[in-house]
Amino acid sequence: MPASRSIVRCVFFFTILFATLSSAYAETVYVDDTLYAPIRSGQGTEYRILHSGVRSGTPLELLERSDSGYSRVRTPDGIEGWMVSRYISETPIARARLESANRQLAKAQETVSSLRAELEEVTNERNELRESQEALEARAGRLSQELQQIKTVASDTLSINRRNEDLRNENQKLLNELEVLTAEKERLEANKESDFMLIGAGLVLLGIILALIVPALKPTRKNDNWV
């Protein structure tokens, strides 16, 4: 008895050990959710098959539900018939949801890529605008300096114009004075010539008078003899 119990214990131990090792080295597998459901002409397996099998995830149009466990449907190809109701679900299967999620993810990635491209374009435009603004500010600074120089030159020009006007006025004044002095000179010269002519005429007249008087003042010989 004790020996048989020992054998049983050993067998039980090795069985548990083998089961443990088998579970440790077992490969993980998954159940495929792909299913092909046939469509029949009536509500039962005895009716003729109109469609050999509609793949799971195919959208169908529900036309009628029956208490017999069958539902009348229409395929996208236009085939109408009866299908086992348990094969019909109001929600898409996991594969369809995964495909939809993948499509949404791809669309979201496209949107993100588009937004990134737009962001890059906006960033480039902002950089260009910033460069344009800096260039405009630099140009505005240069124009401000040029305007200040123009104002300085204009101020100097106004001063020069005023100085030229003063010089012209002074020159005109000098010309007027010169004309007055020239006229006075001509008048004096004319008076001088008149004086010379008068003096000459007086001298001639005096000579004539002396020529008449002097002979009259000389004693005659008759008078000398009488004395």
Side-chain angles (χ1 to χ4, degrees):
M1 291 296 294
S4 61
R5 289 181 178 177
S6 298
I7 294 173
V8 171
R9 289 179 179 176
C10 290
V11 172
F12 180 73
F13 175 76
F14 281 111
T15 301
I16 294 176
L17 180 62
F18 179 75
T20 304
L21 293 175
S22 298
S23 61
Y25 290 99
E27 183 181 359
T28 303
V29 295
Y30 300 92
V31 178
D32 193 357
D33 62 351
T34 301
L35 177 66
Y36 291 91
I39 296 179
R40 297 179 180 274
S41 61
Q43 304 178 40
T45 57
E46 68 274 13
Y47 290 95
R48 182 171 57 88
I49 296 177
L50 301 178
H51 196 293
S52 59
V54 179
R55 185 179 180 182
S56 58
T58 302
L60 299 175
E61 183 181 356
L62 179 62
L63 302 176
E64 181 182 352
R65 287 185 183 273
S66 175
D67 295 336
S68 63
Y70 281 83
S71 297
R72 190 163 65 91
V73 296
R74 181 186 292 123
T75 66
D77 299 334
I79 299 175
E80 295 183 9
W82 294 88
M83 178 183 290
V84 178
S85 297
R86 68 174 180 271
Y87 294 153
I88 299 175
S89 175
E90 294 181 355
T91 58
I93 62 173
R95 178 172 53 81
R97 293 196 298 269
L98 179 60
E99 291 177 355
S100 176
N102 289 332
R103 288 193 297 269
Q104 293 178 0
L105 179 60
K107 186 177 180 180
Q109 290 175 348
E110 291 178 358
T111 303
V112 170
S113 300
S114 178
L115 291 176
R116 286 180 178 175
E118 292 179 2
L119 178 61
E120 184 177 359
E121 183 178 358
V122 171
T123 302
N124 293 332
E125 291 179 356
R126 183 193 63 184
N127 293 334
E128 291 177 358
L129 290 176
R130 182 177 298 173
E131 292 177 357
S132 299
Q133 181 180 2
E134 292 176 355
L136 290 175
E137 290 178 354
R139 184 179 179 184
R142 291 194 300 270
L143 291 176
S144 178
Q145 293 178 357
E146 293 178 0
L147 179 60
Q148 187 63 33
Q149 293 176 356
I150 290 172
K151 288 182 178 179
T152 303
V153 172
S155 177
D156 295 340
T157 302
L158 292 176
S159 299
I160 293 173
N161 290 334
R162 286 194 295 268
R163 180 59 180 168
N164 289 334
E165 185 66 22
D166 294 338
L167 291 175
R168 282 194 295 269
N169 293 332
E170 186 175 356
N171 187 26
Q172 186 63 38
K173 184 178 179 180
L174 293 175
L175 290 175
N176 294 336
E177 293 179 355
L178 179 61
E179 290 180 358
V180 172
L181 292 175
T182 302
E184 184 66 20
K185 179 183 177 183
E186 291 177 354
R187 185 182 64 81
L188 292 176
E189 289 179 351
N191 292 335
K192 184 177 180 181
E193 291 179 356
S194 299
D195 293 340
F196 285 158
M197 292 180 64
L198 291 175
I199 293 172
L203 292 175
V204 171
L205 180 60
L206 180 60
I208 294 172
I209 293 173
L210 291 176
L212 294 175
I213 295 174
V214 169
L217 294 177
K218 288 181 180 181
T220 58
R221 292 180 178 178
K222 184 178 180 180
N223 293 331
D224 290 339
N225 294 326
W226 177 78
V227 175

